[in-house]
Each structure stands twice: as structure tokens, then as C-alpha cells.
């Protein structure tokens, strides 16, 4: 995911950290920020539906952070 700036990328990254601490068995998430880019590596031995749910959670959290930042800046 690419963001407008490094600060916004860091906010999204930090917002995801609590969700990534206790993942279900068979699921591993490696997240790294490089400047304004966040890279996700998802390793899953679970059903495809579980993988899709994980991706959906990541996107939903990123969207929530972006909307919150936009609302707070107006």
C-alpha cells in the first residue's frame, strides 16, 4: 500500500499492530514500512476464506485510519 506521506503510512502501520499480535494458528503476517509504502506478507495454512478475511481486515483498518485523519484535519 502506498500513502501520501510517511507520517500517514506510520499511522496505518501502528493502527494494525494490536490486531497482528494474536493471530490464529496457521496464519502469519509480516508487515514492514519503507517510507510511504507498507508491505504485507501473509502466510496462511488456513482456508482461502480466512486469508480473504485477513486482507479485508487490513483494508478496512487502513480505510478507517484514512477517514479519521481526513475528518480530523477539516
Amino acid at each position: 500500500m502506498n500513502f501520501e506521506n510517511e507520517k500517514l503510512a506510520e499511522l496505518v502501520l501502528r493502527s494494525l499492530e494490536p490486531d497482528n499480535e494474536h493471530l490464529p494458528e496457521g496464519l502469519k503476517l509480516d508487515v514492514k514500512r519503507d517510507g510511504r509504502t507498507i508491505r504485507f506478507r501473509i502466510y496462511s495454512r488456513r482456508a482461502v476464506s480466512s486469508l480473504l478475511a485477513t486482507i479485508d481486515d487490513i483494508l478496512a483498518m487502513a480505510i478507517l485510519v484514512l477517514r479519521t485523519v481526513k475528518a480530523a484535519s477539516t
Side-chain angles (χ1 to χ4, degrees):
M1 295 178 138
N2 292 314
F3 297 90
E4 291 178 26
N5 56 57
E6 290 183 22
K7 185 176 180 179
L8 196 52
E10 184 66 23
L11 284 170
V12 171
L13 179 67
R14 288 179 183 246
S15 71
L16 292 168
E17 286 176 351
D19 285 342
N20 298 340
E21 290 180 14
H22 304 287
L23 294 172
E25 187 175 331
L27 188 64
K28 181 181 175 195
L29 182 61
D30 182 28
V31 183
K32 296 199 187 313
R33 185 180 68 84
D34 182 17
R36 60 185 193 97
T37 300
I38 299 177
R39 299 190 191 283
F40 299 90
R41 285 194 176 167
I42 304 169
Y43 304 91
S44 179
R45 293 181 312 199
R46 301 174 63 88
V48 172
S49 60
S50 178
L51 175 62
L52 293 175
T54 300
I55 294 169
D56 186 57
D57 289 346
I58 291 169
L59 293 173
M61 183 59 67
I63 290 168
L64 177 63
V65 170
L66 295 172
R67 287 182 179 165
T68 302
V69 167
K70 183 177 178 180
S73 66
T74 57

